[in-house]
């Protein structure tokens, strides 16, 4: 059985005091949740302080991006080893906001993933189509191109712990959520692609999580789908009660029938 992941992408929200308060609220309520991988991804400036709150905790620390070089004259960038030194276990790579506003391409996504793998940080690779691409029936084609580009040159062993987040761009921060059927269709296609590119074994163990206006009201119906293994949560992860509720609902679902 794949362990689900609920990861909070805090984007460019929260100063350091607010971030500490948020993480303390979360960890106090979910300390006994053992069957869900819980991840919070604050901004770079808050990673160290939030990380100190999470030493030996069931809530893991993640970053929202990383650079591919180890060190050097790259003003404004942060290396994977730097992330590791403050306790990061995960890093989000290729988020659609990075692709849209900061020139992220499948090639740079590939280089960032390589750096993360080499430093043993779990990459959360984000893929997803725009509304125009969906309306032109190009969703699967777009997602497949993004995944093939992102994973170019990696062996099965390299990506054994990688997580894929399917995040339709039109659903991120818009309040529009993919229906469970829409999300399941793409998650299943991604799993099939991983089987074709690598193996059935890798495809059946890889976590494929959904992102795009997921919230307490819709998390259960999404999580019931066979190929949805968790969520990358933006807006709702900034409200402790919502994020905690989503974690608990997911945990309960996995204690029950979903396998
Ligand atoms: C995200 O930022 O990855 C995301 C899914 O945001 P939201 O949940 O706010 O749509």
């Amino acid at each position: 059985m794949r362990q689900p992941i609920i990861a909070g992408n805090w984007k460019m929200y929260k100063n350091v005091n607010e971030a500490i308060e948020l993480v303390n609220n979360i960890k106090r309520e979910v300390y006994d949740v053992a069957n869900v991988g819980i991840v919070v991804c604050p901004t770079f400036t808050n990673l160290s302080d939030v990380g100190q709150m999470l030493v030996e905790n069931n809530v893991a620390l993640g970053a929202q991006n990383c650079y591919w070089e180890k060190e050097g004259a790259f003003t404004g960038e942060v290396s994977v080893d730097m992330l590791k030194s403050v306790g990061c276990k995960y890093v989000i790579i290729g988020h659609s906001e990075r692709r849209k506003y900061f020139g992220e391409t499948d090639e740079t996504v590939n280089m960032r993933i390589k750096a993360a793998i080499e430093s043993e940080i779990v990459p959360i690779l984000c893929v997803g189509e725009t509304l125009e691409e969906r309306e032109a029936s190009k969703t699967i084609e777009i997602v497949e191109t993004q995944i093939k580009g992102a994973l170019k040159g990696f062996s099965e062993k390299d990506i054994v712990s990688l997580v894929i987040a399917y995040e339709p761009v039109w659903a991120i921060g818009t309040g529009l959520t993919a229906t469970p059927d829409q999300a399941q269709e793409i998650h299943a296609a991604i799993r099939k692609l991983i089987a074709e590119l690598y193996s059935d074994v890798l495809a059946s163990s890889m976590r494929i999580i959904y992102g795009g206006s997921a919230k307490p009201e819709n998390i259960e119906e999404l999580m019931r789908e066979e190929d949805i293994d968790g969520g990358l949560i933006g807006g709702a992860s900034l409200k402790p009660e919502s994020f905690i509720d989503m974690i608990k609902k997911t945990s309960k679902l996995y204690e029950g029938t979903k396998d």
Side-chain angles (χ1 to χ4, degrees), residues 26-159:
I26 294 167
K27 69 177 204 183
R28 199 167 36 238
E29 293 295 329
V30 301
Y31 70 92
D32 58 348
V33 175
N35 62 348
V36 178
I38 306 166
V39 185
V40 293
C41 304
T43 55
F44 285 140
T45 53
N46 295 338
L47 283 172
S48 181
D49 289 272
V50 171
Q52 282 172 35
M53 303 293 133
L54 298 179
V55 175
E56 290 179 22
N57 200 269
N58 64 330
V59 179
L61 188 68
Q64 298 174 18
N65 191 19
C66 63
Y67 195 54
W68 52 83
E69 294 289 348
K70 284 202 177 303
E71 61 178 8
F74 302 106
T75 303
E77 294 299 329
V78 177
S79 76
V80 182
D81 287 344
M82 291 167 186
L83 297 180
K84 210 172 170 182
S85 74
V86 293
C88 283
K89 304 270 190 297
Y90 293 82
V91 57
I92 297 171
I93 297 178
H95 191 280
S96 64
E97 287 154 12
R98 303 282 334 156
R99 294 180 192 256
K100 182 172 173 194
Y101 302 124
F102 303 102
E104 190 80 80
T105 63
D106 292 338
E107 200 182 355
T108 56
V109 165
N110 178 271
M111 293 192 278
R112 292 182 213 277
I113 292 178
K114 185 164 188 279
I117 291 168
E118 281 171 2
S119 290
E120 295 176 341
I121 292 194
V122 175
I124 301 177
L125 161 64
C126 299
V127 296
E129 82 289 1
T130 62
L131 188 57
E132 296 69 42
E133 289 161 349
R134 173 161 282 267
E135 284 173 352
S137 303
K138 286 188 171 162
T139 300
I140 291 179
E141 185 190 324
I142 294 292
V143 166
E144 287 195 357
T145 302
Q146 289 172 336
I147 291 175
K148 282 181 185 161
L151 301 185
K152 199 167 169 192
F154 299 135
S155 69
E156 178 156 344
K157 197 164 146 269
D158 290 334
I159 57 162

Side-chain angles (χ1 to χ4, degrees), residues 9 11 95 167 171-173 211-214 232-235:
N9 174 14
K11 311 197 188 201
H95 191 280
E167 301 207 298
I172 297 180
S213 299
L232 180 53
I233 320 295

